[in-house]
Amino acid sequence: MADFSLFHSPPFHSPKTHGFVRVAAATPVSHIGDPKANAEEHLALIRQAADQGVDLMVFPELSLSAYAIDDLHMQAALLDEVERQIAVIAQAAGEHDLVAVVGAPIRNGDALYNCAVVMGAGEVLGVVPKTYLPNYREYYEKRWFAPATARAEDVIRLNGETVDFAPGLVFEAVNRPGFVFAVEICEDYWAPLPPSTRAALAGARILLNLSASNIVIGKADERAMLSASHSARTLSAYVFTASGWGESTTDLAWDGQATIHELGSKLAEGERFALENHLTIADVDVDRIGLDRLRNGTFAECARVEGEPATVVPFMAREDAVESELIRPLDRFPFVPDDAGRLDQDCYEAFNIQVQGLMRRMTATQAERLVIGVSGGLDSTQALLVACRAFDRLNLPRTNILGFTMPGFATSDGTKSNAWALMKALGVTGAEIDIRPAAEQMFKDIGHPYAAGEPVHDITFENVQAGLRTDYLFRLANQNRAFVLGTGDLSELALGWATYGVGDHMSHYNVNGGVAKTLIRHLIRWVAARELVGAEATPTLHAILDTEISPELVPAKDGVIQSTEGTVGPYALNDFFLFYISRFGLKPSKVAFLAHQAWSDATAGHWPANTPDDEKVEYDLATIKAWLRKFLIRFFQTAQFKRSALPNGPKVVTGGSLSPRGDWRAPSDGNARVWLDELDANVPD
C-alpha cells in the first residue's frame, strides 16, 4: 500500500490543493498619457485581486500609458514615467504575492517596443515585445513601435535590472506544478500562427492576451470565438482583456471586453462598456489541462514537429492554500448541460446519433425487424423510442418492432402497465412472456433453495431471471429473422450493473451503451416534448420518468421495492465520477472536491431545464466519499471484464465510450488499490 502519509496534506477545500490557478483579467479605467494615474488604477485592482486570492492577473495593452495616444508614445517624459511606475507596480505585486502582467511602451536601444511586462516577487520577471504590429485600416502601430523581430538581443535593461526580453517567454512556477504561462499582445492572436501556439507547445498552460482592440459591431463575438478556439486548439486556458473606458475616442471606441476560456469553454466574462475598474476572475484547472495534453497524442506529436525551444523564466508563486469556493462554472451533471439551448442541442445530437447508428446497422444487415425487451423502465423506453424513429426514417412499419414484456417474481403492476401502454401508444407489436415458470424449472434443475420454498433472493435468484429474459429475446430474434436491440446504458457499464453474457449485458446492437443514465432522463423528456414519435406516448413517458429506478428482480419487502440507486449509489454522483475519472483521469480526491463543490448546496448554481424539484438534492462530503469508494471498486476492480466484451453501439457523449474498441481499454483483472489509497489519504471523513 502506498504511504501517502509521508507527504504534506494541504487543505482539502482549497482549489489550489487540486491544481487550480486563480486568474484575473483586469479592466482598469484608462487615463490618456498619464502613467502615474494609470498606475494608481493598477494598484487598486492588484489589491482587489489579492483579497480574492488571485495568483495571476493581466492588464490591457499599453495599460500604463493608454493605447490611443498616437505620437505621445514618442515623448521621453512619458516613457521615463512609465518605467518609474513599473517599479512601483512590481513592488506592489510582490507585496501582495501575485504575478501581474501590464502593458507598457518600453525602449531598447534606439527602438520602442509595445510590451507586456511580467512582474512578481517584487521584480520584473521578463518583458515580452509584441510580435505582429497592425498597420492597416485604423491601425498605425509601425509609426511608433518596432516588432519583436527587430530586437538585437534577448535581454533588456529596465530600471537598472537585466531581464529576459523576447516573444514566447514561458514563465513557470517552481513551487506550483502546472502553473506555467505565456503572453502575447492583441494582434498576435489574429495572426495565422500566434506566438502563443509555440509557447503552448513548449509547455505553457495559461495564455494571456493584453489587448487594446477597439470595438465595432460584431467584433466582440470574433474575439470570443478566437479565444475559445485557440484554447481548444492549444489545449490551454486563454485570458483576454481589452482596453475600456477612458481611452481616447477621437476616432475609435472601446468596450473593455474580458474573457477567460479553458479547453474551448468559457469560464468567465466581464461586463462590457463598464465605467469603473473591475476584475474578471476564474479558477483555471491547469492539472486537467496537463492530463488532457498527456492523453492527446496529436498535441505531443505537434510539439515534436513544430515546437521550438523556449526560454523558461522560473518564479515563486503564492502558496497559501486558503479554503474557498471554486470560481468557475461546474455542471452538476457533466453529461447534461445547465444551459437550456445547449441541452436542446445535446439532446438533438444524442438522439440522432442513436437513431442513425441503428439505421446503419439495419441497412448493413438488411434487417427489417428487431426484438426488444420492454420493462417500463428508462433504458428500454429510450431504446424503444430510438427504434421507432429509426423505423419511421427507414419507411418500415413500427409493427416490425417486436416488444416483449417479461414479468418475473418482482415485476410491479405499474411498470408492467407502463410497458404495455407504451407499446400500444407507439404502435409496435407487443407480447408478454411470463418467465416465472421457466425460472422455477431452472431453480429446480440447479437445486436452488427457492425451488424448495425457501425465500432465498440471492444473486442467482436475480440472474436466472435476467438471463432468461435475454435468452428468450435471442431465440425470438432467431424465430422472427430479427436482431436483439440492447438497452443497457453507459452508467450501468461503468458500474458493471448488468448480468454478464446471456443477460442484459448482451445484444446484437446497443443504442444506449454510449449514453449516461442522467442524460437518458432528459432525452425521454425531450422526445416527449417534441412529440417525435407521436403525442399518444407522452403521458406514459412522463409516468415512466416518475418511476423509481429498479431492476425488479427481488420481491418488495415491507412495501419497499428493490432500489438500484440504493445499491450502487445515486446515478447523479456516479455519472459525475465517471466523467472526470474516465475523460480526464483525475485523482479521486479531486473528483470528490469537485463533486462537493457541485452537489453540497441544492440552492446554489443552476439546474438543467425541466429538472423536477424532487430531483434537486444535495450531498455532503461524507456521502460523496462513501459512494465514490464504491464506484472506484466497481469501476476499476470488478466490472472491466463485462466492458471487455461489449456489443457494438455508437459513441454519443464527449465523456467517452467504455467500449474496448473506443476510449477505454483496461485489464479485466485489475484492482482499485491505488485509487482507494489516494481517496483515503486525501479526502477527510
Side-chain angles (χ1 to χ4, degrees):
M1 178 183 294
D3 187 2
F4 287 96
S5 63
L6 297 175
F7 301 95
H8 172 65
S9 181
F12 175 80
H13 293 286
S14 170
K16 288 183 176 64
T17 300
H18 303 283
F20 290 95
V21 173
R22 186 158 293 176
V23 302
T27 308
V29 170
S30 183
H31 300 270
I32 300 169
D34 190 343
K36 191 169 185 178
N38 285 326
E40 290 173 355
E41 305 286 2
H42 284 54
L43 294 174
L45 285 170
I46 287 172
R47 288 191 291 271
Q48 290 181 33
D51 289 342
Q52 296 183 65
V54 169
D55 300 297
L56 172 66
M57 63 187 306
V58 56
F59 290 84
E61 181 179 13
L62 296 173
S63 57
L64 274 180
S65 61
Y67 178 83
I69 63 175
D70 298 339
D71 288 352
L72 299 185
H73 283 304
M74 312 301 289
Q75 293 292 310
L78 181 138
L79 297 176
D80 287 347
E81 188 61 32
V82 164
E83 293 188 14
R84 281 193 289 270
Q85 296 306 318
I86 286 173
V88 172
I89 295 173
Q91 181 179 354
E95 291 173 354
H96 291 285
D97 199 16
L98 54 73
V99 175
V101 183
V102 306
I106 301 292
R107 292 166 291 190
N108 186 35
D110 296 327
L112 183 66
Y113 295 86
N114 180 344
C115 295
V117 183
V118 182
M119 311 173 188
E123 61 183 5
V124 173
L125 300 174
V127 176
V128 179
K130 189 172 183 176
T131 299
Y132 297 106
L133 304 178
N135 229 55
Y136 56 90
R137 299 194 188 108
E138 62 265 43
Y139 305 110
Y140 205 27
E141 285 194 29
K142 289 183 179 178
R143 177 180 175 93
W144 309 294
F145 300 111
T149 53
R151 73 194 189 286
E153 53 187 353
D154 289 341
V155 294
I156 189 173
R157 292 282 294 177
L158 187 60
N159 289 326
E161 300 293 330
T162 300
V163 297
D164 289 299
F165 175 59
L169 294 177
V170 173
F171 299 86
E172 181 171 6
V174 296
N175 58 332
R176 295 268 298 277
F179 185 176
V180 189
F181 71 92
V183 184
E184 62 188 2
I185 303 172
C186 200
E187 185 75 8
D188 288 347
Y189 95 142
W190 265 279
L193 182 61
S196 62
T197 300
R198 296 198 188 280
L201 295 175
R205 298 185 186 179
I206 304 173
L207 308 177
L208 309 179
N209 188 308
L210 301 79
S211 178
S213 174
N214 63 295
I215 186 61
V216 293
I217 292 173
K219 196 171 185 181
D221 289 341
E222 181 183 0
R223 298 183 194 127
M225 178 271 294
L226 285 172
S227 295
S229 61
H230 200 54
S231 71
R233 189 182 302 276
T234 58
L235 300 183
S236 68
Y238 201 89
V239 186
F240 175 92
T241 183
S243 300
W245 174 252
E247 281 283 359
S248 172
T249 57
T250 301
D251 290 300
L252 303 172
W254 318 87
D255 68 334
Q257 184 175 16
T259 58
I260 303 172
H261 287 80
E262 178 187 296
L263 299 175
S265 298
K266 183 172 66 178
L267 300 185
E269 182 175 19
E271 179 186 356
R272 296 171 59 214
F273 300 105
L275 302 182
E276 297 179 347
N277 285 341
H278 62 278
L279 298 171
T280 303
I281 300 175
D283 287 320
V284 168
D285 193 345
V286 294
D287 176 54
R288 187 175 80 153
I289 290 170
L291 287 167
D292 217 25
R293 289 179 176 183
L294 187 70
R295 63 184 9 91
N296 189 307
T298 300
F299 184 91
E301 183 66 20
C302 187
R304 287 190 290 271
V305 174
E306 300 290 345
E308 295 178 351
T311 298
V312 177
V313 180
F315 68 96
M316 290 290 292
R318 67 189 305 164
E319 293 184 297
D320 58 324
V322 178
E323 295 186 1
S324 70
E325 295 297 314
L326 195 60
I327 305 177
R328 63 183 279 126
L330 182 61
D331 288 336
R332 288 179 172 89
F333 300 92
F335 299 109
V336 185
D338 296 339
D339 179 76
R342 180 56 193 272
L343 177 57
D344 179 72
Q345 176 72 11
D346 283 8
C347 287
Y348 165 79
E349 291 184 343
F351 189 63
N352 281 284
I353 289 169
Q354 291 180 282
V355 169
Q356 289 216 353
L358 178 56
M359 290 170 62
R360 185 66 188 95
R361 180 51 54 95
M362 292 187 67
T363 57
T365 59
Q366 299 182 355
E368 295 185 354
R369 296 180 183 84
L370 63 77
V371 169
I372 179 173
V374 183
S375 68
L378 293 174
D379 293 343
S380 66
T381 296
Q382 176 62 15
L384 185 55
L385 296 176
V386 170
C388 288
R389 185 66 171 167
F391 271 61
D392 292 348
R393 296 193 65 184
L394 290 170
N395 296 315
L396 292 171
R398 291 188 186 178
T399 51
N400 283 11
I401 300 173
L402 311 180
F404 292 88
T405 181
M406 292 176 280
F409 298 103
T411 301
S412 66
D413 292 338
T415 55
K416 180 179 172 181
S417 63
N418 281 340
W420 268 113
L422 183 63
M423 291 189 288
K424 289 177 180 178
L426 294 174
V428 305
T429 299
E432 182 174 316
I433 298 175
D434 187 343
I435 66 167
R436 287 173 292 186
E440 288 169 346
Q441 182 62 49
M442 184 173 287
F443 291 143
K444 181 178 179 182
D445 292 342
I446 66 175
H448 190 274
Y450 187 82
E454 297 181 36
V456 177
H457 303 135
D458 56 10
I459 190 66
T460 305
F461 180 83
E462 296 188 38
N463 283 350
V464 162
Q465 297 172 77
L468 279 172
R469 285 174 175 144
T470 303
D471 200 0
Y472 273 118
L473 291 176
F474 272 98
R475 303 298 74 81
L476 287 163
N478 296 153
Q479 186 179 17
N480 291 280
R481 299 182 63 189
F483 68 79
V484 178
L485 185 64
T487 61
D489 63 48
L490 181 70
S491 309
E492 293 177 341
L493 292 173
L495 296 164
W497 191 247
T499 300
Y500 184 77
V502 183
D504 52 328
H505 167 261
M506 192 48 61
S507 63
H508 288 119
Y509 193 77
N510 185 6
V511 292
N512 285 345
V515 188
K517 182 81 77 179
T518 48
L519 179 56
I520 283 180
R521 282 188 176 276
H522 289 271
L523 280 169
I524 294 172
R525 291 191 184 106
W526 183 83
V527 171
R530 283 152 186 76
E531 299 181 351
L532 294 179
V533 293
E536 296 83 0
T538 298
T540 304
L541 293 177
H542 286 293
I544 291 169
L545 286 166
D546 291 337
T547 302
E548 182 175 356
I549 301 172
S550 172
E552 293 195 325
L553 294 171
V554 175
K557 185 176 182 180
D558 298 327
V560 179
I561 67 169
Q562 184 183 15
S563 170
T564 297
E565 292 184 295
T567 301
V568 301
Y571 276 112
L573 287 180
N574 283 321
D575 282 356
F576 192 97
F577 303 154
L578 171 64
F579 179 81
Y580 285 104
I581 287 174
S582 67
R583 172 63 180 84
F584 293 103
L586 300 189
K587 294 181 292 187
S589 60
K590 183 168 182 175
V591 174
F593 170 78
L594 292 173
H596 187 251
Q597 290 284 322
W599 285 97
S600 62
D601 185 354
T603 65
H606 302 284
W607 291 84
N610 303 315
T611 301
D613 288 341
D614 62 354
E615 293 181 18
K616 295 179 179 179
V617 297
E618 61 189 35
Y619 301 102
D620 60 23
L621 183 59
T623 302
I624 290 169
K625 182 178 181 180
W627 286 122
L628 179 53
R629 164 174 282 277
K630 290 181 180 294
F631 176 89
L632 295 172
I633 294 170
R634 297 187 74 101
F635 185 75
F636 287 107
Q637 188 161 307
T638 66
Q640 181 58 41
F641 76 100
K642 298 179 183 179
R643 297 190 292 265
S644 295
L646 289 183
N648 294 168
K651 176 180 175 179
V652 178
V653 295
T654 56
S657 160
L658 293 178
S659 166
R661 301 168 295 277
D663 295 63
W664 184 259
R665 306 177 192 200
S668 295
D669 48 3
N671 69 81
R673 177 179 296 176
V674 67
W675 292 272
L676 295 173
D677 286 352
E678 200 281 335
L679 178 75
D680 290 337
N682 296 313
V683 180
D685 293 322

